[in-house]
Amino acid sequence: AGGLGSVANATEVAGTTVTAAVTTANGAPVSFTGNFGRATVTSSGDGILNVNSATMGTAAFSVVGGTTLQGTAAKLDGVTASGLGTVAVTALDDTAAADLTGLTATSVTAAVGLVNETVSFTGKLGAAAVTISGTAGAADDIFNVDGATMGTATFSVGADAILQGTAAKLDGVTATGTGTVAVTALDDTAAADLTGL
């Protein structure tokens, strides 16, 4: 892969505008471990720019079609990323107040992995397609959205997982999969549309 080195420090670049280019190839990840500073980063090619170990600064991203910007919800919380590519958010369950509204690329995915736990999400889901997986354990695996800002998020619920929320939150929402959608307080939203569940 060419372009921005994996251990670069973009904070040391002087001037009013800082741009950085990353070229990815063949589906392989470029794992950036440096400091993006205030760079506007353009990622191109057909691979993955992984930012799990990066210092994000105030960087913004342009993700060209075919390229994936990948990072934990902790890293992509509040980040701006646009373009025709994909933004893949991982470990959303570990950052329950994450704000994904700045992720406006053509495809935005977010993964929730639950292990015998309930996660009460209070952040902003934006336009993410959220995949919820659970484990066949002793306790229910619940992703609760009562405190979430839903945006236009959609959900895929795995066999051992539960998407839980009030009728007010799940009104008009699309949720598919082999898991469970548990709607609460239906009496408080008498005109709720549950046809997308």
Side-chain angles (χ1 to χ4, degrees), residues 1-8 19-36 39-56 59-72 75-76 79-82 85-90 103:
L4 191 64
S6 63
V7 193
T19 62
V22 180
T23 302
T24 64
N26 301 321
V30 172
S31 296
F32 186 76
T33 59
N35 191 329
F36 283 116
T40 299
V41 182
T42 299
S43 176
S44 60
D46 59 357
I48 299 167
L49 171 58
N50 183 287
V51 297
N52 284 352
S53 298
T55 300
M56 300 301 286
F61 296 83
S62 176
V63 188
V64 177
T67 305
T68 299
L69 171 64
Q70 181 186 71
T72 63
K75 291 294 181 179
L76 295 174
V79 167
T80 298
S82 59
T86 297
V87 179
V89 181
T90 61
L103 307 179

Side-chain angles (χ1 to χ4, degrees), residues 121-154:
F121 188 79
T122 58
K124 299 176 180 178
L125 292 167
V130 182
T131 299
I132 306 169
S133 62
T135 54
D140 288 333
D141 288 326
I142 300 172
F143 188 69
N144 182 286
V145 295
D146 285 352
T149 301
M150 300 296 283
T152 57
T154 59

Side-chain angles (χ1 to χ4, degrees), residues 73-137:
K75 291 294 181 179
L76 295 174
D77 177 19
V79 167
T80 298
S82 59
L84 299 178
T86 297
V87 179
V89 181
T90 61
L92 185 59
D93 46 296
D94 291 336
T95 307
D99 180 357
L100 307 184
T101 55
L103 307 179
T104 60
T106 297
S107 175
V108 178
T109 64
V112 175
L114 305 173
V115 181
N116 299 329
E117 62 184 323
T118 295
V119 171
S120 296
F121 188 79
T122 58
K124 299 176 180 178
L125 292 167
V130 182
T131 299
I132 306 169
S133 62
T135 54

